[in-house]
Amino acid sequence: MDFSFTEEQSMLRDTVASYLADNYSFDQRRAALKAEPGWRPQVWKAFADELGILGAAFSEEQGGLGGGATDNMVIMEELGKALVVEPYLPTVVIGGGFLKHGKPAGADELIGKIIAGEAIIAFAYAEPQGRYTWSDLKTTAKKDGAGYVLNGHKAVVIGAPYATHLIVTARTGGGQREAQGVSVFIVPKDAKGVTTRDYPTVDGFRASEVYFENVAVGAEAMIGPEGQALPLVEKVMDEAIAATCAEACGVLRQLHEGTVEYARQRKQFGQPISSFQVLQHRMVDMFIQLEQSISMTYMADIKLNDSDAERAKGVSAAKVQIGKACKFVGQNAIQIHGGMGMTDEMAIGHYFKRATMIEAAFGSTDHHLARYETLSLGKAA
Amino acid sequence: MNLDFSPEDNAFREEARAFLADSYPKALREKQERGEPLGKEDYLSWHRILAEKGWSAPSWPKEWGGTDWTPTQKYIWSEEQARADTLGILPFGVAMLAPVIYTFGTEEQKAKFLPDIRDGKIWWCQGYSEPGAGSDLASLKTRAERVTGDDGKEYYIVNGQKTWTTLGQHADWGFFLVRTDPDSKPQAGISFLLIDMKTPGVTVRPIITLEGGHEVNDVFLDNVKVPVENRVFHENQGWTCAKALLAHERSGIAGVARSKRGLERVREMASTELADAGGSLLADAFFKRKVAELEIDLTALEFTELRTLAGESSGKGPGAESSILKIKGTEIQQRLQELALEAAGHYGAPFLGEGGHNSGVGPLHSIDTAGDYFNGRKTSIYGGSNEIQRNIIAKMVLGL
């Protein structure tokens, strides 16, 4: 049994942490989020050129450093600690995931652009009616000669305002909620017929409603098998969830440490509030939630290469733990900070907002509990 | 024990319902439905309509414009207002300050302030909390020194800072706790002052809260000159007023009627949102269960409040029981906000800022869910945090 990281992974963590310590203070982040375009392309460029982390999880043949999901986990945890909004998850984890597993024509070229920081990807999967059922799709891709024509509306596409490419799920057949008939396409964002409505999200990202109106793409735009791409979507989503769990560990760590630190300094009734037993026990419970979350994130990471069912079970179990921890640790961090925790000026509230959004990201706690139940007990049970 | 409504109660309910239907301003209702931010006039206009009807201060003594309603009638009134989704009357003047004035104030103070509070002519804010004090209210540091002015009259010169002053940006007057004797024990040496917010030296600065709203403020007091006749009750005995006021603040905090309406709204929302299984979210086993559990907890709170009300009407003042109402009431409000945000799914994420109602991103019922959830975390912190409320019950009820 070995839970230690390789020397390369430890170095990767240190590199990211030290860059973020120097360049990603709360105030710098805040200023960037309030201005346009709402993120810092120069940070992204530094990720590509100075740090080289955008290639960490790609193979050496693809121009990467030969790492994998664990490297994503290490990076995502550090990004979580600094509340980084730059699109590592949609571009490298999700976009890279589709390109690695789906192997569409031109994948290696696009991966090269991702590693160089030139291509940014957003994943347009959700639809207004679909909630967390990835196969609930009204968006269609109709065969047209050798290519396809896309029509539909995608909801809350994180990172779309700054993306160069969109990865889109669409129906090439089957009924609205059927597993059969789901296909995946990669579409340049500037393709004719793509329009977006951009807005910020409560946790500081930028997102869009994306509309496809008779968007024509070639056959090479398809990722994975036609009409049979749902397992691929599930696999990439599970990798995204595992990475998000790692990000959450970073967020939770800051929420917990920030709270302990604050409680040591804040005095009430003539003593630090950290001396009140009721608050001590609360902070211990927060700590336990954090540790359990780290354990479950490792577990999910290890199961990413298992069979589909084992992978899905592991990831859903981790997401349930993370969802509960985000709620408990986040809410109590604010409560223990008292009125100060309610202010926009203090970082703690921003960690709480990210934690809260992670609860719902890629499926709520209830969604993953139900998925786990089905996988664990079978549908008939 | 009899929990039936009498024919008089039912007649009163009819009257209240009809009045609300006829008199609530249409423009205000539409603004609320679109989720637009409300201004000073929006709040005060409804207050004035209620005052004309004679219903703006139901709890007051009859001679100052109270209604002499029974506790049951007050309960019915709060239910009907929640059912009609009306704005509440702002508590600062009517529910918090006025009882202090009619209990402890001079005849001049009663005559000067009570009619204006009743009629919604003045906007009041509360100057209790201070940076670093929080629930330890008695540790307040704002100083008031007594001096004789050039005109031969006596004044207090007030210096210090207040914080979390809710809607203080609109306030005409504020009621403040200040330290008039720095050498005595924390609770002694505090006085209760009424301060005209236009007095030179009073500065109000916005505090933006984590959901992006401007509801609370810092208030800076820099050599503010306050006539001595604006002190309520004796010098150095303001804590008596403060305690009485806090008990009133806490008794309104349970918010049962509003939570019942909130629960209905969550049901409506969940009946149109789709669950993963394809049916409505309200048919989803997990969600349905949480709604049911919340409803049961809300019922328990409602009957606890009714028991407290019954106790009050038989002469017991609001005591440590109000701490139970505060704890459970705020927990339930927060769980409702959690459920609404959960029901919103992906559309809980867009941040549209103040006035973002016209954006048309996602369904209307989702737009405020995240903001309400984040803003709602304050309820277990303010008015004496829920940890402090548990301490109160431990000490005063359990004798620990």
Side-chain angles (χ1 to χ4, degrees):
Chain A
M1 195 65 60
D2 183 12
F3 283 108
S4 61
F5 293 97
T6 65
E7 203 176 312
E8 287 79 13
Q9 286 159 350
S10 298
M11 271 172 59
L12 183 62
R13 184 187 295 281
D14 293 345
T15 308
V16 178
S18 109
Y19 174 81
L20 294 174
D22 293 342
N23 297 283
Y24 222 97
S25 71
F26 177 60
D27 289 337
Q28 285 170 308
R29 173 185 187 268
R30 208 164 173 226
L33 264 50
K34 282 192 173 165
E36 290 304 323
W39 71 304
R40 285 182 287 164
Q42 69 270 31
V43 168
W44 194 249
K45 198 167 163 36
F47 281 3
D49 302 344
E50 276 177 54
L51 282 69
I53 58 169
L54 300 184
F58 292 105
S59 71
E60 286 169 23
E61 300 84 70
Q62 287 163 326
L65 301 176
T70 307
D71 300 77
N72 276 335
M73 186 173 85
V74 166
I75 292 168
M76 286 295 290
E77 188 180 342
E78 293 307 315
L79 301 185
K81 280 186 198 162
L83 291 179
V84 169
V85 299
E86 280 67 24
Y88 187 85
L89 181 83
T91 300
V92 176
V93 180
I94 299 178
F98 274 112
L99 295 173
K100 275 195 273 189
H101 306 309
K103 300 189 182 71
D108 284 354
E109 194 196 336
L110 191 53
I111 287 173
K113 283 188 177 171
I114 289 175
I115 295 172
E118 290 159 11
I120 291 171
I121 295 172
F123 183 30
Y125 63 97
E127 297 193 2
Q129 81 290 345
R131 211 166 176 82
Y132 309 121
T133 304
W134 317 138
S135 65
D136 188 333
L137 298 172
K138 287 187 179 173
T139 299
T140 55
K142 288 221 168 73
K143 196 125 196 174
D144 181 43
Y148 297 85
V149 175
L150 273 68
N151 278 287
H153 169 196
K154 292 291 182 175
V156 201
V157 184
I158 304 287
Y162 26 75
T164 56
H165 295 75
L166 300 167
I167 290 181
V168 189
T169 52
R171 284 215 159 273
T172 45
Q176 191 186 315
R177 297 170 57 84
E178 268 178 51
Q180 301 296 317
V182 174
S183 298
V184 180
F185 298 88
I186 184 151
V187 182
K189 210 185 93 181
D190 58 9
K192 192 164 173 280
V194 176
T195 53
T196 64
R197 177 177 176 152
D198 304 344
Y199 49 85
T201 61
V202 292
D203 50 349
F205 291 82
R206 298 286 169 115
S208 308
E209 298 301 290
V210 181
Y211 304 92
F212 296 89
E213 203 184 336
N214 296 322
V215 178
V217 295
E220 76 284 355
M222 182 173 281
I223 305 178
E226 182 182 80
Q228 306 292 322
L230 193 59
L232 172 65
V233 172
E234 293 271 349
K235 184 176 171 68
V236 175
M237 283 294 223
D238 279 342
E239 291 175 353
I241 294 166
T244 302
C245 288
E247 182 195 357
C249 289
V251 172
L252 291 168
R253 200 184 282 281
Q254 297 300 92
L255 281 165
H256 179 253
E257 282 177 7
T259 303
V260 169
E261 183 65 20
Y262 184 80
R264 280 210 187 102
Q265 288 173 11
R266 174 80 165 92
K267 287 199 170 128
Q268 248 184 358
F269 306 102
Q271 47 197 321
I273 62 171
S274 60
S275 67
F276 302 145
Q277 198 174 43
V278 66
L279 297 190
Q280 287 172 353
H281 289 184
R282 197 89 54 85
M283 287 185 276
V284 169
D285 288 340
M286 289 164 75
F287 179 65
I288 292 171
Q289 286 290 345
L290 166 64
E291 289 298 326
Q292 299 275 75
S293 298
I294 294 169
S295 306
M296 285 299 253
T297 300
Y298 288 1
M299 180 279 296
D301 181 64
I302 288 165
K303 301 230 167 187
L304 282 180
N305 294 320
D306 265 352
S307 68
D308 286 357
E310 279 304 302
R311 179 202 74 222
K313 238 176 89 177
V315 164
S316 279
K319 187 64 170 39
V320 168
Q321 164 59 34
I322 292 286
K324 287 181 177 172
C326 282
K327 180 163 277 164
F328 183 82
V329 176
Q331 291 182 348
N332 278 300
I334 300 301
Q335 183 71 20
I336 293 173
H337 275 77
M340 288 311 294
M342 291 298 299
T343 62
D344 180 63
E345 273 172 55
M346 273 197 85
I348 202 82
H350 296 263
Y351 284 97
F352 174 47
K353 286 197 278 189
R354 181 67 194 132
T356 303
M357 290 297 122
I358 287 175
E359 269 186 71
F362 308 117
S364 64
T365 303
D366 281 357
H367 169 86
H368 283 287
L369 197 52
R371 187 177 182 230
Y372 184 89
E373 277 184 7
T374 307
L375 289 162
S376 178
L377 306 169
K379 278 194 172 134
Chain B
M1 193 152 89
N2 182 3
L3 294 172
D4 291 339
F5 292 112
S6 67
E8 292 78 24
D9 289 336
N10 289 327
F12 174 72
R13 188 186 289 279
E14 290 308 313
E15 186 191 358
R17 194 170 290 187
F19 167 66
L20 287 164
D22 294 344
S23 309
Y24 197 69
K26 247 196 198 81
L28 182 52
R29 168 159 323 283
E30 284 166 8
K31 227 171 158 177
Q32 281 172 271
E33 279 167 2
R34 290 192 301 266
E36 285 181 40
L38 301 174
K40 185 171 182 174
E41 251 329 285
D42 294 316
Y43 286 100
L44 289 180
S45 64
W46 177 227
H47 188 146
R48 292 195 198 105
I49 294 167
L50 284 168
E52 253 171 64
K53 172 83 174 167
W55 286 7
S56 61
S59 299
W60 294 15
K62 187 94 174 140
E63 57 167 321
W64 293 108
T67 54
D68 249 355
W69 284 343
T70 62
T72 311
Q73 284 176 307
K74 286 181 200 164
Y75 168 79
I76 291 171
W77 175 234
S78 69
E79 278 219 311
E80 288 304 314
Q81 289 180 91
R83 189 180 162 274
D85 286 327
T86 68
L87 284 186
I89 250 186
L90 290 169
F92 313 109
V94 169
M96 292 156 78
L97 173 62
V100 169
I101 293 186
Y102 63 64
T103 311
F104 301 103
T106 62
E107 291 310 312
E108 292 76 27
Q109 286 168 341
K110 291 180 202 174
K112 181 174 176 190
F113 293 112
L114 290 178
D116 282 351
I117 295 175
R118 183 193 59 217
D119 297 341
K121 289 190 176 148
I122 310 177
W123 187 292
W124 286 90
C125 67
Q126 185 185 38
Y128 268 35
S129 300
E130 294 191 6
S135 290
D136 182 10
L137 184 59
S139 70
L140 64 91
K141 291 191 175 67
T142 295
R143 287 285 313 272
E145 280 168 285
R146 202 157 164 160
V147 298
T148 306
D150 299 338
D151 52 7
K153 288 187 193 161
E154 287 202 278
Y155 292 92
Y156 290 105
I157 301 297
V158 185
N159 279 290
Q161 184 191 342
K162 295 292 177 177
T163 192
W164 315 128
T165 310
T166 303
L167 297 175
Q169 68 265 41
H170 301 314
D172 306 301
W173 280 75
F175 48 97
F176 288 78
L177 290 178
V178 298
R179 191 161 293 291
T180 36
D181 179 3
D183 301 323
S184 56
K185 286 200 298 185
Q187 279 88 347
I190 290 172
S191 297
F192 190 101
L193 292 188
L194 308 179
I195 300 180
D196 184 338
M197 297 294 280
K198 287 183 294 295
T199 317
V202 179
T203 315
V204 178
R205 190 184 69 183
I207 299 174
I208 303 303
T209 36
L210 76 162
E211 87 289 359
H214 174 203
E215 190 175 62
V216 287
N217 301 271
D218 281 317
V219 176
F220 298 90
L221 302 151
D222 181 21
N223 287 321
V224 177
K225 205 169 148 191
V226 182
V228 163
E229 64 262 28
N230 286 358
R231 187 194 69 230
V232 182
F233 205 49
H234 310 297
E235 189 169 82
N236 298 331
Q237 292 185 31
W239 192 248
T240 308
C241 304
K243 271 196 308 188
L245 188 150
L246 285 178
H248 284 283
E249 184 183 4
R250 281 172 199 153
S251 69
I253 238 162
V256 168
R258 299 273 167 194
S259 287
K260 279 169 114 177
R261 179 69 190 109
L263 191 66
E264 245 177 69
R265 241 188 249 117
V266 166
R267 279 181 188 283
E268 286 163 16
M269 192 174 168
S271 66
T272 59
E273 289 286 336
L274 293 179
D276 285 334
S280 87
L281 186 58
L282 201 55
D284 175 82
F286 287 133
F287 201 86
K288 193 164 63 178
R289 179 173 186 163
K290 281 187 271 196
V291 172
E293 282 177 343
L294 190 50
E295 191 164 67
I296 291 164
D297 284 355
L298 183 53
T299 308
L301 175 66
E302 183 179 16
F303 276 78
T304 305
E305 183 172 43
L306 289 172
R307 282 172 57 213
T308 310
L309 282 174
E312 265 179 57
S313 67
S314 64
K316 290 198 315 192
E321 294 80 6
S322 66
S323 293
I324 300 179
L325 301 181
K326 202 265 169 170
I327 294 167
K328 293 309 292 179
T330 53
E331 286 177 357
I332 284 170
Q333 288 159 29
Q334 290 176 336
R335 278 163 61 199
L336 273 169
Q337 289 152 355
E338 275 175 32
L339 280 185
L341 178 58
E342 206 178 310
H346 297 292
Y347 281 118
F351 172 70
L352 303 157
E354 285 200 70
H357 47 276
N358 288 325
S359 63
V361 175
L364 197 58
H365 64 218
S366 297
I367 284 176
D368 287 330
T369 50
D372 287 349
Y373 172 79
F374 292 121
N375 184 275
R377 301 315 306 172
K378 72 188 177 188
T379 60
S380 51
I381 295 169
Y382 68 30
S385 71
N386 286 11
E387 287 81 3
I388 294 287
Q389 303 300 334
R390 287 184 166 91
N391 284 346
I392 291 172
I393 297 173
K395 277 201 191 107
M396 293 175 55
V397 182
L398 306 181
L400 299 173

